[in-house]
Amino acid sequence: MKIKNETKVGILSAVAIAILIIGYNFLKGNDVFSSDNIFYTDYDNVEGLSLSKPVLVNGYQIGRVSKMTLMENGKIRTEFKIKSDLDIPSNTVARIISADLLGSKAIVFELGSSTTLAKSGDPLLSDVQANLLEKVEPLQIKIENLVVKLDSVLSTVNAALDDEFQDKFKSSLTSISGSLENMEAITQEVEELVGSERLRLANIMVNVESITTNLKNNGGKLNSILDNLDNFTDSLAHADLKGTIDNAQMTLSQVEEITRKINSGEGSLGLLLNDDQLYNNLSNTSARLNTLIEDLSENPGKYLKLSIFGKRDTK
């Protein structure tokens, strides 16, 4: 059976119209081939929101904006088509959020905790998130003020950083660089010295360890010595040091007085030390006495004459 061209054109036109209707409804957020639940809410302002915008839960799309109607009270009633297999609590909040910095909006369902589920055609609570640009605007003002202050500070710094200051600053950097190089050289010399003296340092550490070991082993003796020293200091503390010092000072005063009298010629010892004539006489007398004693020892008969009969011979 041959189909006429008019029939073909009619069939194609019907298919095209059906596709057009389906596509139009899809763009409006209406899924022709599925049964969705419809919910709505009223907003004071829906700037940036349009039909077919997604409805999200935790970033997952569950539906679309299907219809927007201006009410007599000035509010905009917005309807959502949500998949029928999803349970929506009755206290769910439909919040308008900013989808990007260009002002595009989307709907986010903040699922409530109610055990009562919303039925198709029920209203939901509404909320509008602040625009990102509105949040950024105060920060932008602060940044602009900060930039102005920073520009003023930089101008002041540039005025202070004249050529002379820059030259001094460069000179200071050069000096610091030289100091760092010297420090590096000193550090290297110290490392070399430590390397060359490592054996000696090891011996010193061994000696130190030996000393500490001896101190540890002779702790009892050290404690005894310290106890004796403590007893000695206690004895000194209880001794009559003041009386002893006073007696010593008195003795020194007496010695000083005797020395003064001797120097001034008082007394026999003073006369002997200070009178040259007396000293010479005593010296001569002592010499003569020594001569007499020597002669007496050598010639006793010269001075002592004894008679056998007890009589002294006379001439």
Side-chain angles (χ1 to χ4, degrees):
M1 179 179 177
K2 186 177 180 179
I3 302 176
K4 297 182 179 180
N5 292 332
E6 292 80 359
T7 304
K8 293 180 180 180
V9 171
I11 293 173
L12 290 174
S13 299
V15 171
I17 292 172
I19 293 174
L20 180 63
I21 293 172
I22 294 172
Y24 176 75
N25 283 279
F26 179 79
L27 293 176
K28 289 180 63 179
N30 299 322
D31 192 351
V32 178
F33 303 103
S34 64
S35 59
D36 296 330
N37 293 327
I38 297 176
F39 305 98
Y40 73 90
T41 186
D42 296 337
Y43 297 105
D44 294 327
N45 191 332
V46 292
E47 182 181 0
L49 186 66
S50 60
L51 297 178
S52 301
K53 287 294 182 180
V55 178
L56 308 172
V57 173
N58 296 331
Y60 176 73
Q61 183 173 347
I62 61 172
R64 293 177 179 272
V65 177
S66 60
K67 185 178 180 181
M68 299 176 68
T69 304
L70 179 63
M71 306 296 291
E72 293 182 356
N73 57 5
K75 293 188 176 183
I76 297 91
R77 175 162 295 180
T78 304
E79 295 182 1
F80 319 106
K81 278 193 173 183
I82 307 300
K83 295 178 181 180
S84 59
D85 57 343
L86 297 176
D87 295 332
I88 306 298
S90 60
N91 59 344
T92 296
V93 177
R95 179 178 291 111
I96 298 177
I97 65 167
S98 297
D100 50 43
L101 292 175
L102 299 178
S104 178
K105 301 295 180 68
I107 300 295
V108 171
F109 274 14
E110 184 178 332
L111 300 179
S113 58
S114 176
T115 57
T116 303
L117 299 180
K119 298 179 181 179
S120 180
D122 288 348
L124 300 177
L125 300 175
S126 64
D127 188 26
V128 178
Q129 186 185 62
N131 195 326
L132 289 178
L133 294 178
E134 294 177 357
K135 292 182 178 180
V136 172
E137 185 176 359
L139 181 61
Q140 179 182 0
I141 295 174
K142 291 182 180 180
I143 292 175
E144 290 177 352
N145 295 332
L146 180 61
V147 169
V148 171
K149 293 181 180 179
L150 183 60
D151 182 65
S152 176
V153 171
L154 290 177
S155 299
T156 305
V157 171
N158 288 330
L161 297 179
D162 53 5
D163 295 337
E164 182 180 359
F165 179 83
Q166 293 179 3
D167 293 338
K168 291 182 179 179
F169 184 72
K170 291 179 181 179
S171 176
S172 299
L173 290 179
T174 304
S175 300
I176 292 173
S177 177
S179 300
L180 292 177
E181 292 178 357
N182 294 333
M183 186 177 296
E184 184 177 0
I186 293 172
T187 303
Q188 185 175 359
E189 292 179 358
V190 171
E191 289 179 353
E192 294 176 355
L193 178 61
V194 171
S196 61
E197 298 294 332
R198 185 170 298 169
L199 180 59
R200 184 176 296 177
L201 290 174
N203 293 331
I204 292 173
M205 294 303 296
V206 171
N207 294 333
V208 171
E209 184 177 1
S210 176
I211 292 171
T212 54
T213 302
N214 292 331
L215 290 175
K216 182 179 179 181
N217 294 333
N218 295 285
K221 294 182 179 179
L222 291 175
N223 291 332
S224 178
I225 293 171
L226 291 176
D227 291 338
N228 294 333
L229 183 60
D230 190 19
N231 294 330
F232 178 71
T233 53
D234 289 340
S235 298
L236 288 178
H238 293 90
D240 189 9
L241 294 178
K242 185 177 183 303
T244 303
I245 294 173
D246 291 340
N247 292 331
Q249 288 180 348
M250 184 179 297
T251 302
L252 290 175
S253 298
Q254 292 175 356
V255 171
E256 183 179 0
E257 180 65 21
I258 293 171
T259 304
R260 185 188 64 76
K261 290 181 178 181
I262 291 173
N263 291 331
S264 62
E266 297 180 10
S268 300
L269 184 60
L271 292 173
L272 179 62
L273 293 176
N274 294 282
D275 192 346
D276 295 338
Q277 184 178 359
L278 178 59
Y279 174 76
N280 293 329
N281 292 334
L282 289 175
S283 180
N284 294 332
T285 303
S286 177
R288 291 175 181 176
L289 183 58
N290 289 332
T291 302
L292 178 60
I293 292 173
E294 291 176 358
D295 187 47
L296 179 60
S297 298
E298 294 175 357
N299 303 303
K302 184 178 177 179
Y303 300 95
L304 297 174
K305 293 182 179 182
L306 299 176
S307 175
I308 296 175
F309 302 102
K311 293 182 180 180
R312 180 178 178 184
D313 294 337
T314 59
K315 295 183 181 180

